[in-house]
Amino acid sequence: LRFDNLNLMASGSTLTGNGSVVLGDRPDWSLDLHATTLNLDSLLAPSSPATDSSASQQGQSQTRPLRPVIADSDEREDYQSLRGFNGRMALSADQLQWRGLNFTQVQSEISNQQGLLTVSKMQGNLDGGQLSLPGTLDARGDTPQATFQPALQNVEIGSLIKAFNYSLNLTGKLSLTGEFSGTRIDADDFRRHWQGQAQLQMADTRTEGLNFQQLVQQAVERSTNVRAQENYDNATRLDSVSSQLTLDNGLVTLNRLQGQSDVMAMTGEGQLDLQKENCDMRFNVRVLGGWKGEGKLIDRLKQTAIPLRIYGDWQSLSYSLQVDQILRKQLQDEAKQRLNDWVERNKGSKESKDAKKLLDKL
């Protein structure tokens, strides 16, 4: 059975194309579709509950529709229905909307073999960047298993954070490659039960709420006579950030984190809890610019990594700094070096021997 010149319109979406089906115990479908506009937010939106009168009119003949394979519900999807047919679909879309995200030039190739759903191609443009999301959903066993290999290039991370209802105040261009797996293709389940790893890079990032450079410089000003230039921006800006990411049941671990801008360099590691929306991150921050004047102490500060801990709820972050301890050690090291230099210049004298004994005790 073949369908030619299909032209479907529903909920702000327009689909054209053709298809065919070979009927049997396991129907074999083939679809080749193109959408000028595909609004998944409208098509997958839950329908309004029926009133008592409409329910009585429809009677018992109405059956509960199958849920879409890609959904966002707390209910367990009925993936077992995939076992009852084979099929392939090529779908392209000029514009596609999902969770408020506006994709363009979308290309996808999907096949199903009696419960093994393979997304060999799923790619498109988003916010000036590109996104690819190939993967598989194996529903042939008792427990479904989904595995996807996302690849993002220069996608605005702020749009993704907003689309999936996270409260983190972060913007920047995200590039990422990795692999993630779980048992349900569902945004809430991803937040709670998925696992995976990825390598990420970000450019032109801005994290609202705390200015790392300002925190360090204000602490230094309280402990020394060094002064910093005024900075009223309540955000941390970085030109580039890279890190290794591990996801384990809602807990994101960042390792080998590095960030750089013209005024700051940092390394770090820590964890973010996607369910509780809190974090505990530890950084070593070097402030390279924004100091007033020049001097040996400023030169040393530019080379000194200051330990900074950021922790708490994303919307009310707290911090702790160890500036005093670092500066005290810097002064001790400098005093020891100067004393050692004096001993070397005055070898053999009684004073140098006394100074050497003092050095040995320090």
Side-chain angles (χ1 to χ4, degrees), residues 117-134:
L117 185 74
T118 301
V119 182
S120 55
K121 178 190 288 188
M122 180 72 74
Q123 63 187 38
N125 300 328
L126 176 64
D127 281 339
Q130 294 80 44
L131 180 148
S132 175
L133 192 62

PDB file of all heavy atoms in Angstrom, residues 117-134:
ATOM      1  N   LEU A 117      14.960   0.880  17.956  1.00  0.00           N
ATOM      2  CA  LEU A 117      14.814   2.162  17.275  1.00  0.00           C
ATOM      3  C   LEU A 117      16.196   2.789  17.121  1.00  0.00           C
ATOM      4  O   LEU A 117      16.904   3.002  18.110  1.00  0.00           O
ATOM      5  CB  LEU A 117      13.904   3.086  18.084  1.00  0.00           C
ATOM      6  CG  LEU A 117      13.556   4.429  17.445  1.00  0.00           C
ATOM      7  CD1 LEU A 117      12.558   4.235  16.317  1.00  0.00           C
ATOM      8  CD2 LEU A 117      12.995   5.391  18.487  1.00  0.00           C
ATOM      9  N   THR A 118      16.572   3.079  15.884  1.00  0.00           N
ATOM     10  CA  THR A 118      17.889   3.649  15.604  1.00  0.00           C
ATOM     11  C   THR A 118      17.729   5.027  14.980  1.00  0.00           C
ATOM     12  O   THR A 118      17.099   5.174  13.931  1.00  0.00           O
ATOM     13  CB  THR A 118      18.694   2.750  14.653  1.00  0.00           C
ATOM     14  OG1 THR A 118      18.842   1.452  15.243  1.00  0.00           O
ATOM     15  CG2 THR A 118      20.075   3.339  14.398  1.00  0.00           C
ATOM     16  N   VAL A 119      18.272   6.032  15.648  1.00  0.00           N
ATOM     17  CA  VAL A 119      18.303   7.393  15.105  1.00  0.00           C
ATOM     18  C   VAL A 119      19.691   7.578  14.500  1.00  0.00           C
ATOM     19  O   VAL A 119      20.636   7.972  15.180  1.00  0.00           O
ATOM     20  CB  VAL A 119      18.027   8.439  16.198  1.00  0.00           C
ATOM     21  CG1 VAL A 119      18.004   9.845  15.598  1.00  0.00           C
ATOM     22  CG2 VAL A 119      16.712   8.144  16.913  1.00  0.00           C
ATOM     23  N   SER A 120      19.823   7.253  13.227  1.00  0.00           N
ATOM     24  CA  SER A 120      21.137   7.333  12.590  1.00  0.00           C
ATOM     25  C   SER A 120      21.529   8.771  12.281  1.00  0.00           C
ATOM     26  O   SER A 120      22.719   9.100  12.230  1.00  0.00           O
ATOM     27  CB  SER A 120      21.159   6.496  11.310  1.00  0.00           C
ATOM     28  OG  SER A 120      20.116   6.890  10.435  1.00  0.00           O
ATOM     29  N   LYS A 121      20.529   9.633  12.098  1.00  0.00           N
ATOM     30  CA  LYS A 121      20.815  11.054  11.879  1.00  0.00           C
ATOM     31  C   LYS A 121      19.727  11.885  12.534  1.00  0.00           C
ATOM     32  O   LYS A 121      18.536  11.639  12.349  1.00  0.00           O
ATOM     33  CB  LYS A 121      20.877  11.384  10.390  1.00  0.00           C
ATOM     34  CG  LYS A 121      21.116  12.880  10.105  1.00  0.00           C
ATOM     35  CD  LYS A 121      20.945  13.231   8.638  1.00  0.00           C
ATOM     36  CE  LYS A 121      22.079  12.716   7.791  1.00  0.00           C
ATOM     37  NZ  LYS A 121      21.984  13.233   6.394  1.00  0.00           N
ATOM     38  N   MET A 122      20.149  12.863  13.324  1.00  0.00           N
ATOM     39  CA  MET A 122      19.241  13.851  13.903  1.00  0.00           C
ATOM     40  C   MET A 122      20.069  15.110  14.110  1.00  0.00           C
ATOM     41  O   MET A 122      20.829  15.219  15.077  1.00  0.00           O
ATOM     42  CB  MET A 122      18.658  13.364  15.225  1.00  0.00           C
ATOM     43  CG  MET A 122      17.690  14.350  15.882  1.00  0.00           C
ATOM     44  SD  MET A 122      16.114  14.489  15.032  1.00  0.00           S
ATOM     45  CE  MET A 122      15.361  12.925  15.518  1.00  0.00           C
ATOM     46  N   GLN A 123      19.966  16.043  13.183  1.00  0.00           N
ATOM     47  CA  GLN A 123      20.829  17.211  13.241  1.00  0.00           C
ATOM     48  C   GLN A 123      20.085  18.442  12.756  1.00  0.00           C
ATOM     49  O   GLN A 123      19.094  18.356  12.030  1.00  0.00           O
ATOM     50  CB  GLN A 123      22.084  16.992  12.385  1.00  0.00           C
ATOM     51  CG  GLN A 123      21.799  16.803  10.904  1.00  0.00           C
ATOM     52  CD  GLN A 123      23.039  16.423  10.118  1.00  0.00           C
ATOM     53  OE1 GLN A 123      23.875  15.655  10.595  1.00  0.00           O
ATOM     54  NE2 GLN A 123      23.169  16.969   8.914  1.00  0.00           N
ATOM     55  N   GLY A 124      20.570  19.602  13.204  1.00  0.00           N
ATOM     56  CA  GLY A 124      19.963  20.857  12.805  1.00  0.00           C
ATOM     57  C   GLY A 124      20.743  22.028  13.366  1.00  0.00           C
ATOM     58  O   GLY A 124      21.751  21.858  14.069  1.00  0.00           O
ATOM     59  N   ASN A 125      20.268  23.216  13.063  1.00  0.00           N
ATOM     60  CA  ASN A 125      20.891  24.443  13.545  1.00  0.00           C
ATOM     61  C   ASN A 125      20.064  25.013  14.693  1.00  0.00           C
ATOM     62  O   ASN A 125      18.834  24.941  14.687  1.00  0.00           O
ATOM     63  CB  ASN A 125      20.980  25.482  12.427  1.00  0.00           C
ATOM     64  CG  ASN A 125      21.799  24.986  11.247  1.00  0.00           C
ATOM     65  OD1 ASN A 125      22.737  24.211  11.417  1.00  0.00           O
ATOM     66  ND2 ASN A 125      21.444  25.424  10.045  1.00  0.00           N
ATOM     67  N   LEU A 126      20.769  25.594  15.678  1.00  0.00           N
ATOM     68  CA  LEU A 126      20.092  26.154  16.846  1.00  0.00           C
ATOM     69  C   LEU A 126      20.898  27.328  17.378  1.00  0.00           C
ATOM     70  O   LEU A 126      22.073  27.178  17.723  1.00  0.00           O
ATOM     71  CB  LEU A 126      19.935  25.088  17.936  1.00  0.00           C
ATOM     72  CG  LEU A 126      19.331  25.544  19.269  1.00  0.00           C
ATOM     73  CD1 LEU A 126      17.894  26.023  19.067  1.00  0.00           C
ATOM     74  CD2 LEU A 126      19.378  24.423  20.306  1.00  0.00           C
ATOM     75  N   ASP A 127      20.269  28.499  17.424  1.00  0.00           N
ATOM     76  CA  ASP A 127      20.897  29.695  18.009  1.00  0.00           C
ATOM     77  C   ASP A 127      22.280  29.978  17.435  1.00  0.00           C
ATOM     78  O   ASP A 127      23.228  30.274  18.170  1.00  0.00           O
ATOM     79  CB  ASP A 127      20.996  29.554  19.532  1.00  0.00           C
ATOM     80  CG  ASP A 127      19.673  29.834  20.222  1.00  0.00           C
ATOM     81  OD1 ASP A 127      18.817  30.493  19.608  1.00  0.00           O
ATOM     82  OD2 ASP A 127      19.490  29.386  21.363  1.00  0.00           O
ATOM     83  N   GLY A 128      22.418  29.871  16.127  1.00  0.00           N
ATOM     84  CA  GLY A 128      23.690  30.162  15.494  1.00  0.00           C
ATOM     85  C   GLY A 128      24.700  29.039  15.557  1.00  0.00           C
ATOM     86  O   GLY A 128      25.812  29.173  15.048  1.00  0.00           O
ATOM     87  N   GLY A 129      24.338  27.916  16.182  1.00  0.00           N
ATOM     88  CA  GLY A 129      25.228  26.763  16.268  1.00  0.00           C
ATOM     89  C   GLY A 129      24.610  25.543  15.619  1.00  0.00           C
ATOM     90  O   GLY A 129      23.553  25.614  14.990  1.00  0.00           O
ATOM     91  N   GLN A 130      25.287  24.415  15.766  1.00  0.00           N
ATOM     92  CA  GLN A 130      24.810  23.161  15.186  1.00  0.00           C
ATOM     93  C   GLN A 130      24.679  22.108  16.286  1.00  0.00           C
ATOM     94  O   GLN A 130      25.445  22.102  17.253  1.00  0.00           O
ATOM     95  CB  GLN A 130      25.769  22.648  14.102  1.00  0.00           C
ATOM     96  CG  GLN A 130      25.850  23.530  12.867  1.00  0.00           C
ATOM     97  CD  GLN A 130      26.740  24.737  13.055  1.00  0.00           C
ATOM     98  OE1 GLN A 130      27.826  24.620  13.613  1.00  0.00           O
ATOM     99  NE2 GLN A 130      26.285  25.896  12.605  1.00  0.00           N
ATOM    100  N   LEU A 131      23.700  21.215  16.093  1.00  0.00           N
ATOM    101  CA  LEU A 131      23.439  20.154  17.059  1.00  0.00           C
ATOM    102  C   LEU A 131      23.188  18.852  16.322  1.00  0.00           C
ATOM    103  O   LEU A 131      22.475  18.816  15.322  1.00  0.00           O
ATOM    104  CB  LEU A 131      22.238  20.518  17.935  1.00  0.00           C
ATOM    105  CG  LEU A 131      21.801  19.522  19.016  1.00  0.00           C
ATOM    106  CD1 LEU A 131      21.231  20.276  20.214  1.00  0.00           C
ATOM    107  CD2 LEU A 131      20.732  18.564  18.479  1.00  0.00           C
ATOM    108  N   SER A 132      23.782  17.764  16.823  1.00  0.00           N
ATOM    109  CA  SER A 132      23.556  16.427  16.282  1.00  0.00           C
ATOM    110  C   SER A 132      23.253  15.488  17.440  1.00  0.00           C
ATOM    111  O   SER A 132      23.904  15.559  18.488  1.00  0.00           O
ATOM    112  CB  SER A 132      24.794  15.944  15.517  1.00  0.00           C
ATOM    113  OG  SER A 132      24.621  14.607  15.077  1.00  0.00           O
ATOM    114  N   LEU A 133      22.245  14.614  17.269  1.00  0.00           N
ATOM    115  CA  LEU A 133      21.817  13.750  18.370  1.00  0.00           C
ATOM    116  C   LEU A 133      21.464  12.352  17.859  1.00  0.00           C
ATOM    117  O   LEU A 133      20.306  11.927  17.909  1.00  0.00           O
ATOM    118  CB  LEU A 133      20.620  14.369  19.092  1.00  0.00           C
ATOM    119  CG  LEU A 133      20.220  13.742  20.433  1.00  0.00           C
ATOM    120  CD1 LEU A 133      21.347  13.868  21.445  1.00  0.00           C
ATOM    121  CD2 LEU A 133      18.949  14.393  20.966  1.00  0.00           C
ATOM    122  N   PRO A 134      22.454  11.598  17.373  1.00  0.00           N
ATOM    123  CA  PRO A 134      22.179  10.209  16.991  1.00  0.00           C
ATOM    124  C   PRO A 134      22.099   9.319  18.226  1.00  0.00           C
ATOM    125  O   PRO A 134      22.618   9.661  19.295  1.00  0.00           O
ATOM    126  CB  PRO A 134      23.392   9.849  16.131  1.00  0.00           C
ATOM    127  CG  PRO A 134      24.499  10.684  16.707  1.00  0.00           C
ATOM    128  CD  PRO A 134      23.856  11.975  17.139  1.00  0.00           C
TER     129      PRO A 134
END
